[in-house]
Amino acid sequence: MATSTTPTTIGVGLISVGWMGRLHSRAYSALHHRYPELGIRPRLVIAADTLESGRREAEDVLGYETSTADFHEVLANPEVDVVSICAPNFLHAEAAIAAAKAGKAIWLEKPAGRSGTETASIADAVEAAGVASCIGFNYRHVPAVELAKQLIAEGHLGTITNVRGRFFGGFSADPSDPLAWRFVRSASGSGVLGDLMGHLVDLVHHVLGPIASVSGTTGTYITERPALPGRGEGLLPVENEDYANLLIRFRDDAVAAGALGMLEASRIAVGSSSEYAFEINGTKGAVRWNFARMNELEVSTTNDGPFVGYTTVFANSHFPEFARFQPSSGTGMGYDDLKVIEAAKFLQTFLDGTPRAANIHDGVASARVLDAVETSAANGQWVDLDIEPGTNSAVRGALAPVSA
């Protein structure tokens, strides 16, 4: 990586000072500690939030120079070069399209849009404006995941035969939790599909290659929830799905061409906090990973001899990006670190135009798969897809770079 002797200052704007907005801000601030050779100095210029408490936090805690209640003021500020968009789903397209038209590079949380069509409208605006984009599919940056991608691309697992993936969260398992925006289709779009399955689909695209066709089912099991305080009385209908599963086939140019897979996601899985995992089998070996043990990769590369089965490998300096955060195995990285990696990739892309993290085309690819799942769930048929592979998608003949 090139070393810069004169720091490059990049003006940052933020839309929505919630949990993810705070995380983006901390990632920008940590950048010069973890990636000093890049010579990038993010300058936190202005943050927008409709709540006064959010605006105070932006200035007093996160370090933004000023704040506003109107996100359009962020986009109109000439000192802002890049914008983090961390608002609820129903604001993503409006804010992202306006940011692109204002000439600002965008770091947009997933799902980029509430549907494939809405996500494509963001992509059209980004392409027309010629600005850089990054979508918050941060799990692809886990060092163990990147190493698994590398092992597969280099042929250590042989021909990939099948994949199983799941993202089970129990954060909506309590039926007494009120009907927040995530349960309303006009605000959120789909339910667990956009919230969790989109991450899993992107990870499959990144590690194994583009999906060619899907057959899916969905279910809503907590069908009513109490109204939010001040939003009415009694129970209101839940408008999107709690659970989804899908069978997948890969495109002919995918690294996993010929393989089959099954993916599951649930937001009401009792006993699961964030069980995000995959297992990938090939003719010569297998790998599996679980977010609950983020800093471990289980690897099996033989069925011969006395030592048959998986070996647990703890992340160490040989894993992509790990040494930037910890000196040795046994001292693990955390979730926030993944956003620092993502911030580094995003800002480098802003400076030189070379895609490194997931961009809006990856967002469209994931959203098109989710749309196909809903179609399949409605008609009971397989749905064929014609999607662009996206940034760093695992296609044959190309091993995408895993470093920032």
Side-chain angles (χ1 to χ4, degrees):
M1 286 175 276
T3 300
S4 175
T5 56
T6 303
T8 300
T9 300
I10 299 175
V12 174
L14 172 66
I15 297 176
S16 188
V17 190
W19 169 65
M20 189 55 68
R22 294 192 291 271
L23 183 50
H24 276 224
S25 303
R26 293 197 299 269
Y28 287 124
S29 297
L31 199 62
H32 70 280
H33 294 292
R34 301 303 186 187
Y35 293 86
E37 79 283 0
L38 299 181
I40 296 174
R41 294 293 185 270
R43 172 190 165 201
L44 305 185
V45 178
I46 181 172
D49 199 275
T50 55
L51 298 177
E52 182 182 353
S53 59
R55 298 194 294 273
R56 285 200 306 269
E57 182 173 5
E59 295 186 41
D60 299 342
V61 178
L62 299 177
Y64 285 87
E65 296 171 7
T66 188
S67 61
T68 177
D70 183 358
F71 78 80
H72 293 93
E73 292 186 20
V74 174
L75 306 183
N77 191 311
E79 302 299 314
V80 170
D81 302 303
V82 304
V83 177
S84 278
I85 302 172
C86 304
N89 298 0
F90 58 88
L91 291 174
H92 283 186
E94 178 186 357
I97 291 171
K101 290 181 177 179
K104 314 296 186 184
I106 59 170
W107 183 6
L108 174 62
E109 276 307 312
K110 44 60 57 187
R114 291 168 291 184
S115 67
T117 299
E118 187 170 76
T119 307
S121 71
I122 300 172
D124 290 343
V126 167
E127 287 297 305
V131 297
S133 64
C134 177
I135 306 300
F137 291 129
N138 47 273
Y139 295 101
R140 58 162 62 191
H141 306 308
V142 175
V145 171
E146 294 283 40
L147 183 61
K149 173 185 172 79
Q150 185 173 322
L151 292 174
I152 292 166
E154 291 175 349
H156 295 284
L157 271 58
T159 300
I160 302 303
T161 58
N162 59 284
V163 57
R164 293 173 298 283
R166 67 188 182 276
F167 201 161
F168 282 2
F171 46 81
S172 297
D174 186 348
S176 67
D177 287 345
L179 191 88
W181 63 267
R182 289 190 183 278
F183 304 107
V184 179
R185 182 162 284 273
S186 62
S188 178
S190 61
V192 76
L193 281 170
D195 194 18
L196 301 185
M197 186 66 84
H199 268 304
L200 199 51
V201 167
D202 177 73
L203 202 64
V204 165
H205 284 166
H206 181 61
V207 175
L208 297 172
I211 294 170
S213 57
V214 301
S215 174
T217 55
T218 63
T220 305
Y221 299 96
I222 301 177
T223 58
E224 296 179 319
R225 292 183 179 272
L228 284 166
R231 299 287 181 88
E233 300 283 338
L235 297 175
L236 298 175
V238 172
E239 299 177 359
N240 49 31
E241 74 289 338
D242 293 325
Y243 170 83
N245 66 14
L246 59 149
L247 302 177
I248 60 175
R249 296 186 179 118
F250 290 92
R251 275 187 9 186
D252 290 341
D253 63 344
V255 166
L260 300 175
M262 184 182 76
L263 309 179
E264 291 183 279
S266 174
R267 64 187 181 189
I268 58 167
V270 174
S272 296
S273 296
S274 185
E275 187 179 357
Y276 185 25
F278 62 74
E279 184 169 4
I280 301 167
N281 293 91
T283 56
K284 295 181 180 179
V287 293
R288 64 187 181 191
W289 172 82
N290 192 328
F291 178 65
R293 301 188 304 277
M294 187 181 95
N295 293 281
E296 301 174 20
L297 181 66
E298 293 184 272
V299 182
S300 176
T301 56
T302 180
N303 282 322
D304 299 320
F307 302 108
V308 176
Y310 281 100
T311 297
T312 298
V313 183
F314 289 91
N316 56 57
S317 60
H318 297 286
F319 284 53
E321 300 301 295
F322 183 84
R324 293 184 181 277
F325 297 88
Q326 298 297 347
S328 61
S329 62
T331 306
M333 290 173 58
Y335 179 91
D336 288 19
D337 296 328
L338 306 181
K339 285 299 184 184
V340 179
I341 297 173
E342 198 167 85
K345 291 176 181 288
F346 170 50
L347 294 185
Q348 287 180 86
T349 298
F350 165 72
L351 291 176
D352 67 16
T354 301
R356 292 175 177 83
N359 66 14
I360 188 58
H361 300 295
D362 297 280
V364 172
S366 176
R368 293 296 191 200
V369 173
L370 304 184
D371 284 355
V373 174
E374 293 199 279
T375 298
S376 177
N379 65 24
Q381 304 295 314
W382 279 85
V383 178
D384 294 330
L385 293 156
D386 183 17
I387 56 177
E388 293 297 321
T391 309
N392 294 344
S393 185
V395 294
R396 289 184 173 181
L399 175 59
V402 295
S403 65

